[in-house]
Amino acid sequence: NGHSSPIPPTNDDITIAVYPTRTDRELLAFTNGGRVFPLEVANIPPLAKGSKSKGTPLITFINDPTDKIVAHTIWERNPETTDSLVLLTSQAKIKRSPLADYAGINARGLSAMKLKDDDRLFWAGTVRVNQQIAIATSTGRILRMPADEEQIPTLGRAAMGDRALRLRQTETLVAAMTLDLGENPDTEIVLVTAQGMAKRIGADSLR
């Protein structure tokens, strides 16, 4: 619609996430080593009107700068929440933990998932009761699974998780997302290839 991006893109960096939030909320930042750190939204410097700044590196806000931040989500601390945190590794191991387990997190962070030496955290997201997870691979496969006890059992933070799907040779994960087909039954997913080809499918057609 002609509006410009608040963060100018560069040749080596693009905007990948936008969150509506407030300064009394926190951002959970997950590293590829399986750790999670809370970042107060109020501590992220605001972008001045007309500024050409690219912003502040999130990695500078956490106490473990040796790892790479691979996922993030806005949350509100609530020790009584029934929501869950779903974690997915690059080798397609998946686990679900009660989000309430992270209510006491501090600046030192917490270990969210135990990983093998050759595996790294790929994606993290929060889910509510009756929501689902969709996982896409580099070969065009998409798996949709309910985030419930039968498909993704609740595990402690020290657990590695179970296999979500078996990756074929040279196949990798490319995306994951949370779905709520109960509230939005007509949800559609747009698939985009590396060469810019796009395809739209109904989320309810995925199995």
Side-chain angles (χ1 to χ4, degrees):
N1 60 3
H3 293 297
S4 62
S5 169
I7 301 180
T10 63
N11 291 334
D12 59 351
D13 199 9
I14 60 173
T15 301
I16 61 170
V18 178
Y19 298 108
T21 188
R22 306 194 306 255
T23 54
D24 61 346
R25 297 291 176 88
E26 289 180 310
L27 179 81
L28 286 182
F30 299 84
T31 70
N32 57 357
R35 292 184 61 79
V36 55
F37 297 86
L39 311 176
E40 293 186 17
V41 171
N43 288 340
I44 300 175
L47 193 66
K49 186 175 181 180
S51 172
K52 298 296 184 180
S53 170
K54 293 191 297 182
T56 304
L58 283 180
I59 199 70
T60 62
F61 290 99
I62 71 175
N63 289 331
D64 187 9
T66 59
D67 275 340
K68 175 184 177 183
I69 293 177
V70 294
H72 24 71
T73 186
I74 296 292
W75 83 319
E76 185 177 9
R77 290 182 190 243
N78 180 2
E80 299 181 358
T81 182
T82 58
D83 293 353
S84 298
L85 177 67
V86 174
L87 304 167
L88 180 68
T89 77
S90 59
Q91 293 185 3
K93 291 290 187 69
I94 194 168
K95 66 173 284 190
R96 183 168 61 95
S97 298
L99 193 59
D101 287 357
Y102 297 84
I105 191 173
N106 57 35
R108 293 191 300 272
L110 290 172
S111 174
M113 188 173 192
K114 185 177 180 180
L115 300 169
K116 292 184 178 180
D117 292 340
D118 59 348
D119 199 8
R120 308 301 281 172
L121 185 65
F122 172 77
W123 178 85
T126 57
V127 296
R128 299 193 303 272
V129 176
N130 297 324
Q131 289 189 326
Q132 301 174 326
I133 301 295
I135 304 170
T137 77
S138 57
T139 62
R141 289 198 296 157
I142 305 178
L143 171 70
R144 176 168 64 93
M145 58 194 307
D148 57 21
E149 283 297 324
E150 181 178 353
Q151 293 294 322
I152 315 176
T154 301
L155 298 172
R157 291 190 294 105
M160 284 190 176
D162 300 316
R163 187 177 297 280
L165 72 161
R166 190 170 296 278
L167 295 173
R168 299 164 183 165
Q169 189 174 10
T170 73
E171 186 179 31
T172 60
L173 299 183
V174 295
M177 68 189 73
T178 301
L179 300 173
D180 191 339
L181 298 186
E183 185 173 328
N184 302 291
D186 297 327
T187 296
E188 295 183 323
I189 295 175
V190 175
L191 309 177
V192 182
T193 72
Q195 295 184 3
M197 303 299 291
K199 179 179 181 179
R200 179 165 54 94
I201 61 174
D204 62 350
S205 67
L206 301 174
R207 294 293 182 267

